[in-house]
Amino acid sequence: MAITFINSTALTFGTAASTWSIQTHSSRLGGAGFVVGLGPASSGVTISTLTDNTTNVYRLAVRRLTPKPAASAELWYTQNISSASTRISVTLSGNSSGSMGVGQWDGISTNN
């Protein structure tokens, strides 16, 4: 099965905070997957937890800390989402501004 992009949404957080939240795209395909990209602007700040309003379990795919890039960047994912997943919430290890994007994909697998 090929990986197919469905949709995405993104948000920039201009005020430093220890929690972020983003609404998922209004069109969700049950059984697809979310890939969440996070870019805290504060050096050394990482993601402590990532959850949504359902029981999806998010896993860390990759984390890059400073000095490259200049701020941290993380990629998280969950598979087989519920179509009821309407909001994703993030708890950071400290206060930071930054950005967050959510892409919905069908056919993702962690087998390879």
Side-chain angles (χ1 to χ4, degrees):
M1 173 183 222
I3 298 172
T4 305
F5 173 74
I6 299 172
N7 55 45
S8 64
T9 187
L11 191 58
T12 298
F13 302 93
T15 303
S18 62
T19 59
W20 295 351
S21 179
I22 190 170
Q23 187 91 15
T24 61
H25 195 279
S26 60
S27 176
R28 292 172 303 280
L29 175 65
F34 283 143
V35 176
V36 183
L38 301 129
S42 298
S43 132
V45 171
T46 59
I47 308 311
S48 299
T49 59
L50 196 142
T51 59
D52 64 22
N53 63 303
T54 64
T55 59
N56 291 318
V57 176
Y58 290 82
R59 293 177 176 83
L60 177 65
V62 65
R63 174 180 285 153
R64 294 288 181 241
L65 300 176
T66 56
K68 294 193 188 226
S72 61
E74 299 190 21
L75 193 63
W76 291 68
Y77 71 95
T78 188
Q79 297 172 275
N80 300 318
I81 65 165
S82 163
S83 60
S85 301
T86 59
R87 180 162 295 279
I88 297 174
S89 300
V90 177
T91 303
L92 301 125
S93 64
N95 287 343
S96 182
S97 57
S99 58
M100 177 179 180
V102 179
Q104 184 179 186
W105 302 83
D106 193 22
I108 62 172
S109 171
T110 58
N111 290 338
N112 295 321

